[in-house]
Amino acid sequence: MPLIWNNYDAYFNDPRDQQQIDDNTKLEMEKIASEILGLDRQTMQSTWGSCSPPGVSAQTVVRVESSIPHRFTSICQNKAIGLKIFKNGKGCKMVHGHTHSRRKLPGLPNDFVQEVYDADEHNGTFFLVQDWIEGESLETYLNRKTHLPPDVAQQLLKDLFEGIIIPLWSAGTSWWDIRAGNFCVTERDSKQRLVLIDTDSLLAYAEEIIETPLVFTKRNHGKVTALKRIKTIATDLVMLTMAAQFLFCKS
């Protein structure tokens, strides 16, 4: 197969609520992805991407390296991309939001927010073409760690608040679905940095933000949930730092 499905298949080694697709459906996904990307025959004869596990709405996200030529190469500035393919019957609202609303959201683009280059539909399948952020989700990162150096936790908290939450909320773009799984810990300037991924969540209150920017009814309601989740993330980072200090004292 021209796509590597190892990460996708490994996700199902544990019991999941998701339905794993079979080999025939994988071949169909590969055909759809190659058509969306406009790959030439030579590229299609080689391994040109790898697939991530499914999400609530996404069937998979195909990672395509910067060395692979495709029709989005110029607008992606020769970066690796993630081709997010939505499940059947899903994605229409999200694609419409990214196409018509995202560019109007104040505070974007932002260096700490994953960029979406294109959003469209191909023969009934909805998709996004987005920047590929190398790393692991903050959720996986926190679950994997038993302790964390203070400077690392401080940097991640600084990115969370000074890079993402404060700039976007101050501009009027707030959302409720703030969870560790929607952030990626990536390396930047030889440091562990935080980037907001799965940016569909930013569209939650797009209509209110764009059409009635001085009305905060929905956003204020959503902030109740958002602040609780932010507190959880911050607490987890602080607890890991305290664990590191405890180990240092014992040594």
Side-chain angles (χ1 to χ4, degrees):
M1 289 184 175
L3 291 181
I4 300 172
W5 290 89
N6 293 354
N7 289 338
Y8 177 92
D9 291 332
Y11 174 78
F12 291 96
N13 288 338
D14 297 319
R16 304 290 184 181
D17 293 333
Q18 301 274 5
Q19 180 66 42
Q20 185 176 13
I21 61 176
D22 58 26
D23 287 345
N24 288 334
T25 307
K26 287 178 181 178
L27 289 173
E28 182 182 348
M29 286 291 101
E30 292 177 351
K31 180 176 182 295
I32 291 170
S34 66
E35 291 174 351
I36 291 172
L37 294 169
L39 302 182
D40 58 38
R41 183 173 298 180
Q42 182 178 353
T43 300
M44 291 175 62
Q45 292 175 347
S46 62
T47 300
W48 49 266
S50 57
C51 298
S52 298
V56 175
S57 301
Q59 190 69 266
T60 187
V61 177
V62 182
R63 174 182 176 171
V64 184
E65 296 292 349
S66 59
S67 58
I68 301 297
H70 52 78
R71 70 184 182 95
F72 302 102
T73 299
S74 58
I75 64 172
C76 297
Q77 302 174 339
N78 294 317
K79 297 179 180 178
I81 62 167
L83 174 60
K84 185 174 186 177
I85 301 177
F86 289 97
K87 297 174 181 177
N88 290 337
K90 296 184 179 291
C92 179
K93 183 178 179 180
M94 290 302 173
V95 165
H96 183 273
H98 281 286
T99 303
H100 299 283
S101 301
R102 181 185 170 110
R103 60 185 176 82
K104 300 177 184 177
L105 293 177
L108 295 178
N110 178 312
D111 287 342
F112 296 92
V113 177
Q114 183 181 40
E115 186 60 73
V116 172
Y117 299 109
D118 198 15
D120 208 341
E121 174 264 340
H122 174 77
N123 294 336
T125 297
F126 292 93
F127 67 89
L128 301 179
V129 178
Q130 53 196 19
D131 195 13
W132 179 266
I133 308 299
E134 185 65 40
E136 61 184 334
S137 74
L138 179 60
E139 180 180 31
T140 301
Y141 182 84
L142 293 175
N143 289 336
R144 183 172 59 81
K145 295 289 186 178
T146 56
H147 58 279
L148 204 60
D151 60 322
V152 175
Q154 183 179 27
Q155 182 65 65
L156 295 177
L157 284 168
K158 182 177 180 179
D159 290 345
L160 175 64
F161 288 103
E162 295 184 13
I164 302 169
I165 302 296
I166 294 175
L168 290 176
W169 282 24
S170 297
T173 298
S174 63
W175 67 104
W176 68 272
D177 192 14
I178 296 177
R179 66 179 75 188
N182 286 349
F183 295 92
C184 182
V185 179
T186 188
E187 186 171 322
R188 188 183 290 179
D189 302 325
S190 300
K191 296 180 180 179
Q192 297 297 300
R193 308 298 297 271
L194 203 64
V195 175
L196 175 65
I197 56 174
D198 195 11
T199 59
D200 299 347
S201 58
L202 292 178
L203 302 170
Y205 307 124
E207 182 178 352
E208 181 180 85
I209 295 168
I210 296 167
E211 297 183 8
T212 56
L214 298 181
V215 176
F216 284 80
T217 303
K218 294 180 180 179
R219 282 172 281 179
N220 285 339
H221 179 74
K223 281 182 180 179
V224 175
T225 299
L227 287 170
K228 290 179 181 178
R229 294 185 173 187
I230 292 170
K231 180 182 177 182
T232 298
I233 293 173
T235 300
D236 288 345
L237 285 167
V238 170
M239 292 300 291
L240 286 172
T241 300
M242 292 177 65
Q245 292 176 329
F246 175 75
L247 291 173
F248 176 78
C249 291
K250 285 187 66 177
S251 63

